[in-house]
Amino acid sequence: MNAPQDGQLRGQLRYRADELPFENSYASLPPSFYTRLQATPVPAPYLVGASASAAALIGLDVEELARPETVDAFSGNRTLPGSEPLSAVYSGHQFGVWAGQLGDGRAILLGDVPANEPSPPGRLELQLKGAGLTPYSRMGDGRAVLRSSIREFLCSEAMAALGIPTSRALCVTGSDMPVFRETAETSAIATRMAPSFVRFGSFEHWFYNDRKEELRTLTDYVIERFYPELRNAEQPYRALLTEVARRTAELMAQWQSVGFMHGVMNTDNMSILGLTIDYGPFGFMEAFNARHICNHSDHQGRYAYHMQPRIGQWNCYALGQALLPLVGEVEDVEAALEIYKPAYEAKFDQLMHAKLGLMTRQESDSKLIDDMHTLMQNTHVDFTLFFRRLGNLQLDAPAGDEPIRDLFIDRPAFDAWAAQYRDRLRQESSDDIKRKQAMDAVNPKFVLRNYLAQIAIEKAQNKDFSEVARLLAVLERPFDEQPENEHYAELPPDWASELEVSCSS
Ligand code: AMP
Ligand code: MG
């Protein structure tokens, strides 16, 4: 998605921040679903980063986000006219264990506003994350640190540019107010947007509290507002479960296809709309290892890269359990969830064919793709560079393989697989130029490598926010060559291997 040019916004909507025509559909639910509250002000907030393309979605000009009044509003120091701030209650399974009540411990929903995309009358909810204590803060302080807020901001926008369903990030504001994690850090507030932040855990909350009426109210709300096409299904609740399982399965395939690891796939972090939400200790795969664990606190590797599709399914079963009182029969819940595996496999297969520039399907393709993963695993090749450079392969000029061969220490291993790949390409008379074009459109050159985020964070911690903006601009065009930004596509430097990402945020 390209940033709007010269203040020209796509779509029809255009507002000042104070004119945003807020509603709050979530507030129409019974009071037991949330607590109304105000954000807790922070001293002297400043703008850390803003996304022009996210702003354009709700008709805001990016310059509007830099105005002091707007910075105040998106720091929680001033309530935007018409907004009805609230925090929602939910529960969830954390690391496979029932955790009981959680809820928006540091997120405050301002309400929903009209959105330019997909096309009016779409709406997006605006949420402040890190805006102070709520009744659901438990042991937490209601705050978020600058480091994790920048990571969520950049990754949300990077995922959107990759075409992966995700919540969006409008802006990040900071304050010098200290926040204590392993050490003293400073606080930040991210404003994020999605049609809804309802999670699997929102349904589990009512199921495990034996509150069938609220469970039905929530489910009806979600169908009515976000899945209206299911209203007339024979069994709408079962149909919802199937649709959510399908979306979740496809999301997992998309994550796998770009090497994205979420890090904390607890049921309270699973969107009922099949979006990537709640960015924490996420990572993009670099040296390939299917068992890679990006979250340093995940000792068992429950959320390792190769586990994500299975965990997505496990989470859908948790949702199925919660919806059982509405669906009625265990058999119907199981039948509704049967779609998960084939939906995942079909999507993953489609994405892998596209990544390899294959236009046709053959039975032997699964062996080609399995052998590729074995090659990647054995050689720990860089995930992003491997697929990107593979697009340069020429059918009849093996000498041209050098840039991709250079990624491998074990070059004969690559050559062996490349021979198999070339044979397969010849079988469909693949055209080098067309194939490269198609592959470059799906294999990103630029992803949010940890070390790139780290550089932007360290500068921001010294009040230089320029790298946040520069990196955002690079990640907004992940498939473009961008010769001036070649260094953003390089292998991580040696110091990057020391980087650890924990749950602390
Ligand atoms: P997460 O897995 O990071 O999405 O968070 C799990 C739960 O902990 C959610 O209910 C969050 O709202 C809550 N939480 C995380 N960090 C904080 C914090 N600093 N203050 C209050 N609640 C928090
Ligand atoms: Mg969460």
Side-chain angles (χ1 to χ4, degrees):
M1 217 178 290
N2 292 321
Q5 312 257 310
D6 303 329
Q8 287 294 304
L9 299 177
R10 290 157 301 137
Q12 303 88 315
L13 306 171
R14 184 147 196 190
Y15 302 111
R16 305 298 297 261
D18 280 28
E19 298 165 352
L20 283 169
F22 272 103
E23 290 175 13
N24 194 332
S25 87
Y26 203 79
S28 69
L29 290 166
S32 52
F33 283 76
Y34 54 82
T35 303
R36 291 182 191 271
L37 79 179
Q38 297 292 329
T40 311
V42 290
Y46 39 82
L47 186 68
V48 172
S51 164
S53 64
L57 286 176
I58 56 167
L60 286 182
D61 198 295
V62 72
E63 279 87 51
E64 178 71 8
L65 294 174
R67 293 176 55 226
E69 300 89 324
T70 316
V71 171
D72 263 347
F74 290 124
S75 303
N77 286 11
R78 184 171 75 88
T79 308
L80 280 170
S83 68
E84 299 175 64
L86 61 83
S87 290
V89 70
Y90 52 83
S91 296
H93 281 85
Q94 297 186 316
F95 291 88
V97 178
W98 177 242
Q101 182 178 307
L102 303 165
D104 289 333
R106 52 177 169 170
I108 295 180
L109 172 66
L110 300 180
D112 50 85
V113 298
N116 276 319
E117 285 175 20
S119 60
R123 299 188 74 85
L124 286 169
E125 290 187 346
L126 264 61
Q127 241 193 24
L128 303 181
K129 182 170 174 179
L133 288 172
T134 81
Y136 316 108
S137 297
R138 298 177 297 142
M139 312 298 285
D141 57 6
R143 293 299 178 187
V145 295
L146 181 62
R147 155 179 63 83
S148 66
S149 305
I150 289 175
R151 282 170 50 85
E152 170 148 11
F153 172 72
L154 290 173
C155 199
S156 308
E157 294 307 284
M159 292 287 269
L162 288 168
I164 298 179
T166 178
S167 60
R168 298 294 301 262
L170 182 64
C171 60
V172 175
T173 64
S175 163
D176 288 350
M177 186 179 76
V179 173
F180 298 93
R181 297 295 181 260
E182 282 87 358
T183 59
E185 301 187 42
T186 62
S187 73
I189 292 140
T191 301
R192 52 186 193 174
M193 312 195 295
S196 173
F197 288 92
V198 169
R199 300 123 198 286
F200 289 11
S202 312
F203 298 84
E204 289 180 290
H205 181 73
W206 299 119
F207 172 76
Y208 285 94
N209 283 294
D210 217 4
R211 302 264 291 265
K212 188 168 168 184
E213 200 179 315
E214 280 93 343
L215 180 65
R216 187 184 298 279
T217 302
L218 176 65
T219 313
D220 288 344
Y221 165 81
V222 165
I223 292 176
E224 185 66 32
R225 207 168 159 87
F226 306 109
Y227 293 92
E229 68 283 5
L230 303 181
R231 265 185 306 218
N232 302 320
E234 206 174 306
Q235 296 185 58
Y237 301 126
R238 176 178 158 163
L240 175 68
L241 190 53
T242 298
E243 180 58 16
V244 175
R246 188 186 64 74
R247 288 194 193 187
T248 306
E250 294 190 351
L251 182 67
M252 294 305 112
Q254 286 180 284
W255 286 2
Q256 299 305 96
S257 78
V258 295
F260 174 78
M261 296 164 281
H262 183 281
V264 199
M265 290 176 63
N266 294 334
T267 56
D268 54 299
N269 292 337
M270 298 295 292
S271 155
I272 198 66
L273 303 183
L275 309 172
T276 313
I277 57 166
D278 282 21
Y279 290 88
F282 65 82
F284 280 87
M285 184 72 80
E286 296 187 320
F288 188 78
N289 172 14
R291 310 185 90 81
H292 185 71
I293 305 162
C294 68
N295 174 359
H296 191 64
S297 320
D298 179 10
H299 306 293
Q300 311 291 320
R302 178 178 173 86
Y303 301 137
Y305 172 80
H306 73 297
M307 293 292 288
Q308 295 190 128
R310 254 179 283 176
I311 295 292
Q313 187 177 29
W314 192 95
N315 288 338
C316 287
Y317 271 87
L319 178 66
Q321 173 73 68
L323 291 181
L324 178 59
L326 302 182
V327 177
E329 304 293 334
V330 172
E331 294 72 36
D332 285 340
V333 167
E334 283 175 348
L337 294 172
E338 262 169 29
I339 194 171
Y340 185 94
K341 199 162 175 277
Y344 173 78
E345 283 167 1
K347 185 74 179 177
F348 187 71
D349 189 67
Q350 176 212 325
L351 293 170
M352 282 299 142
H353 275 80
K355 287 181 83 69
L356 292 177
L358 295 172
M359 312 291 284
T360 58
R361 291 205 143 52
Q362 293 187 8
E363 227 166 271
S364 59
D365 290 348
S366 54
K367 179 175 180 328
L368 178 74
I369 293 167
D370 287 351
D371 288 353
M372 176 190 76
H373 281 118
T374 306
L375 170 74
M376 293 173 77
Q377 180 72 31
N378 290 344
T379 57
H380 299 306
V381 68
D382 183 83
F383 187 99
T384 303
L385 285 176
F386 170 69
F387 285 109
R388 185 71 181 190
R389 292 198 189 166
L390 197 58
N392 295 327
L393 185 127
Q394 293 175 15
L395 269 185
D396 298 312
D401 290 359
E402 284 322 309
I404 173 145
R405 282 181 96 237
D406 283 350
L407 293 173
F408 293 87
I409 297 170
D410 184 356
R411 292 184 183 169
F414 169 72
D415 292 340
W417 180 79
Q420 193 184 338
Y421 179 45
R422 274 201 169 81
D423 279 351
R424 174 64 184 82
L425 291 173
R426 283 200 186 94
Q427 283 166 31
E428 61 177 50
S429 308
S430 187
D431 176 277
D432 285 346
I433 293 170
K434 285 195 192 135
R435 186 178 67 254
K436 176 174 163 54
Q437 260 176 8
M439 288 173 74
D440 281 358
V442 295
N443 293 322
K445 174 149 184 161
F446 302 98
V447 295
L448 183 55
R449 293 176 186 272
N450 263 343
Y451 85 92
L452 295 174
Q454 189 61 25
I455 292 170
I457 288 165
E458 284 174 18
K459 286 199 173 157
Q461 285 168 336
N462 291 314
K463 292 276 167 29
D464 173 0
F465 306 124
S466 61
E467 187 57 24
V468 173
R470 205 170 303 126
L471 186 49
L472 172 65
V474 172
L475 296 170
E476 279 178 330
R477 298 163 50 213
F479 302 110
D480 293 356
E481 271 302 319
Q482 309 188 39
E484 69 285 12
N485 292 319
E486 195 66 30
H487 54 289
Y488 285 91
E490 280 168 8
L491 286 171
D494 288 344
W495 60 263
S497 59
E498 311 289 313
L499 285 176
E500 281 176 354
V501 186
S502 75
C503 264
S504 98
S505 59

